[in-house]
């Protein structure tokens, strides 16, 4: 299950894009190839450091640039692999389609498409597994979820519930519980202080839809229950509020990960009961003056191109005092494994993977609270999207920026961290 750290469930953009969006808001508001199968060599996973492991070579590669095939991917929003059902589903954001394959890479069908029809999507933003027979899709344009059975048939839809009298808006689907309830979350920054350099509190409120597994009743499914409110760290105006962000682990647990100051995951059950947190050993990556200028250049260019002169001047003066952190966020990506473990990577490594840079992509896997992280090396540019105890699925971009879905085996040493 892919979890969005800008936002499960969609592909993350460079942090400068987020900064530009925040700045604008502040100023304006006050094809099917044959699969390649390989085998991992036993013992090839251990390097000099036994705690630093290497994933095996890809057993399956899917991807093409013909423009005509079912494995022509563009901007993959998520992947779900279901071993019991023998299904691999790829959410292709570029044309808002769901591509279904067997676990050996044989194409089975394509559904969806961009549009406003009952079997179409405005914006395919995120993808999650649902109860072992379906996937649940988040449509970012409509702000709604839909459940698509593997075998086809009826597409069921539900909107984000807002309790009577509540003013929370812009909720986002984060996944589903084991009993079928959908998990939604709303970030709530406190905008009562608007001065540059001042701290603002940020919290996340979690909602659950009803647990009706037979379908989405239009009444019952809009009587959401608020189960948890996580008061996040204060963040400086002008910095990107990377945390907290909610996700769902298997076993009826909601995970609220990360902190701009403390790399950790707060955990809570679907009933709102706090659980022991998971501490991540992810060192901060310093943010340099060059990083700052790299971030500001496109913001200046975009704002100068689109905004009137008076507002341009206001933005220019604001950029001079724009508050940047001393380091990148500790966490660049978080994946809730299908086996209940948590995978994390640092911010710079995640951005390098998205650009296809670097000789390896390193993710650390945690079995739970008190368990040490185990570093696992993946091929360079591998952007992890889904994992369980035996395999991981990710996206790799080639030299022509064509996206390929890779399934790689996790060797024994990478399966049981801390044991």
């Amino acid at each position: 299950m892919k979890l969005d750290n800008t936002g499960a469930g969609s592909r993350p953009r460079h942090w400068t894009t987020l900064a530009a969006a925040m700045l604008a808001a502040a100023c304006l508001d006050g094809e099917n190839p044959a699969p390649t199968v390989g085998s991992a060599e036993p013992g090839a996973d251990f390097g000099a450091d036994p705690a630093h492991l290497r994933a095996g070579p890809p057993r399956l590669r899917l991807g093409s640039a013909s423009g005509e095939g079912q494995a022509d991917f563009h901007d993959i929003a998520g992947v779900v692999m279901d071993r019991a059902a023998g299904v691999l589903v790829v959410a292709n954001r570029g044309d808002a389609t769901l591509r279904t394959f067997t676990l050996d890479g044989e194409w089975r069908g394509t559904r969806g498409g961009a549009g406003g029809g009952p079997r179409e999507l405005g914006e395919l933003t995120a993808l999650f597994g649902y109860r072992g027979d379906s996937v649940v899709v988040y449509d970012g344009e409509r702000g709604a979820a839909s459940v698509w059975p593997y075998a086809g048939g009826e597409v069921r839809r539900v909107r984000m519930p807002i309790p009577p009298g509540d003013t929370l808006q812009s909720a986002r689907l984060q996944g589903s519980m084991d009993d079928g309830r959908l998990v939604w979350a709303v970030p709530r920054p406190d905008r009562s202080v608007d001065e540059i350099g001042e701290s603002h509190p940020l919290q996340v409120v979690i909602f659950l839809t009803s647990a009706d597994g037979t379908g989405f009743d239009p009444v019952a499914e809009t009587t959401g229950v608020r189960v948890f409110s996580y008061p996040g760290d204060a963040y400086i105006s002008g910095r990107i509020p990377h945390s907290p962000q909610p996700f769902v682990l298997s076993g009826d647990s909601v995970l609220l990960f990360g902190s701009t100051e403390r790399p950790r995951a707060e955990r809570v059950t679907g009933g709102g009961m706090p659980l022991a947190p998971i501490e991540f050993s992810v060192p901060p990556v310093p943010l340099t003056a060059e990083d700052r200028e790299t971030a500001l250049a496109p913001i200046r260019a975009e704002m100068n191109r689109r905004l009137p002169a008076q507002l341009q001047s206001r933005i220019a003066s604001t950029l001079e005092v724009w508050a940047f952190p001393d380091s990148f966020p500790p966490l660049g990506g978080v994946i809730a494994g299908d086996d209940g473990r948590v995978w994390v990577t640092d911010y710079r490594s995640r951005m390098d993977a998205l650009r296809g840079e670097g000789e390896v992509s390193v993710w650390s896997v945690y079995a739970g609270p008190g368990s040490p992280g185990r570093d696992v090396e993946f091929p360079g540019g591998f952007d992890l999207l889904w994992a369980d105890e035996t395999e991981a699925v990710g996206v790799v971009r080639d030299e022509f920026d064509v996206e390929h879905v890779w399934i790689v085996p996790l060797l024994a040493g990478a399966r049981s961290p801390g044991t």
Side-chain angles (χ1 to χ4, degrees), residues 143-164:
S146 53
V147 174
W148 301 65
Y150 297 149
E154 178 187 4
V155 175
R156 298 170 288 166
R157 300 183 180 274
V158 61
R159 286 195 169 273
M160 198 289 294
I162 299 178

Side-chain angles (χ1 to χ4, degrees), residues 389-400:
E389 193 176 46
T390 59
E391 290 185 313
V393 186
V395 172
V396 174
R397 290 170 175 77
D398 63 21
E399 64 272 24
F400 304 106

Side-chain angles (χ1 to χ4, degrees), residues 45-352:
D45 54 327
F46 290 93
D49 180 358
H52 202 73
L53 308 177
R54 186 176 299 115
R59 76 159 179 86
L60 177 68
R61 297 179 177 91
L62 285 174
S64 171
S66 70
E68 300 176 353
Q70 298 301 330
D72 291 340
F73 303 122
H74 176 62
D75 200 5
I76 295 172
V79 170
V80 166
M81 187 163 75
D82 189 325
R83 296 189 189 285
V87 169
L88 173 69
V89 183
V90 180
N92 193 63
R93 187 202 298 268
D95 60 1
T97 58
L98 300 174
R99 319 279 183 89
T100 301
F101 303 85
T102 68
L103 299 185
D104 292 326
E106 178 186 351
W107 173 71
R108 286 294 181 86
T110 296
R111 293 184 292 168
R119 294 177 179 270
E120 295 176 324
L121 299 162
E123 180 188 1
L124 203 173
T125 306
L127 178 74
F128 307 93
Y130 184 79
R131 309 199 73 179
D133 61 4
S134 309
V135 290
V136 58
V137 176
Y138 178 59
D139 187 332
E141 182 176 295
R142 298 176 179 176
S146 53
V147 174
W148 301 65
Y150 297 149
E154 178 187 4
V155 175
R156 298 170 288 166
R157 300 183 180 274
V158 61
R159 286 195 169 273
M160 198 289 294
I162 299 178
D166 206 311
T167 59
L168 296 178
Q169 301 294 329
S170 304
R172 180 186 176 92
L173 179 69
Q174 300 294 337
S176 67
M177 310 299 284
D178 289 348
D179 60 10
R181 290 178 295 172
L182 298 184
V183 181
W184 306 80
V186 185
R188 300 188 68 183
D190 182 355
R191 303 191 181 279
S192 61
V193 179
D194 240 355
E195 297 298 323
I196 295 298
E198 294 293 331
S199 292
H200 295 246
L202 180 70
Q203 68 176 356
V204 166
V205 177
I206 304 295
F207 292 88
L208 300 181
T209 62
S210 69
D212 181 1
T214 60
F216 294 119
D217 182 88
V219 175
E221 291 294 341
T222 56
T223 57
V225 177
R226 183 190 304 181
V227 299
F228 192 68
S229 177
Y230 175 66
D233 298 331
Y235 67 95
I236 302 301
S237 177
R239 297 189 186 183
I240 303 164
H242 292 274
S243 67
Q245 296 186 51
F247 299 114
V248 181
L249 282 173
S250 60
D252 196 42
S253 176
V254 176
L255 169 77
L256 298 105
F257 90 88
S259 165
T260 52
E261 302 297 335
R262 305 185 312 275
R264 64 185 290 172
E266 305 290 349
R267 297 164 60 239
V268 62
T269 69
M273 180 68 68
L275 301 172
I278 303 174
E279 302 284 349
F280 300 132
S281 301
V282 183
V285 178
L287 191 149
T288 67
E290 182 181 0
D291 291 323
R292 186 181 188 279
E293 289 307 310
T294 298
L296 290 177
I299 297 175
R300 294 190 182 103
E302 182 70 6
M303 299 305 178
N304 291 342
R305 182 177 68 85
R306 301 185 63 178
L307 299 178
Q310 183 176 1
L311 191 53
Q312 288 179 25
S313 299
R314 180 179 174 186
I315 291 175
S317 61
T318 300
L319 290 178
E320 295 303 317
V321 294
W322 189 252
F324 274 76
D326 296 327
S327 62
F328 287 98
L331 301 175
V334 177
I335 299 295
D338 210 47
D339 58 350
R341 297 184 298 165
V342 181
W343 296 76
V344 301
T345 191
D346 67 67
Y347 200 80
R348 178 69 83 177
S349 295
R350 186 70 185 275
M351 292 302 103
D352 288 346

Side-chain angles (χ1 to χ4, degrees), residues 3-25:
L3 302 176
D4 174 30
N5 71 315
T6 61
S10 63
R11 298 191 59 76
R13 300 292 188 259
H14 193 274
W15 68 279
T16 56
T17 305
L18 294 175
M22 288 184 62
L23 179 60

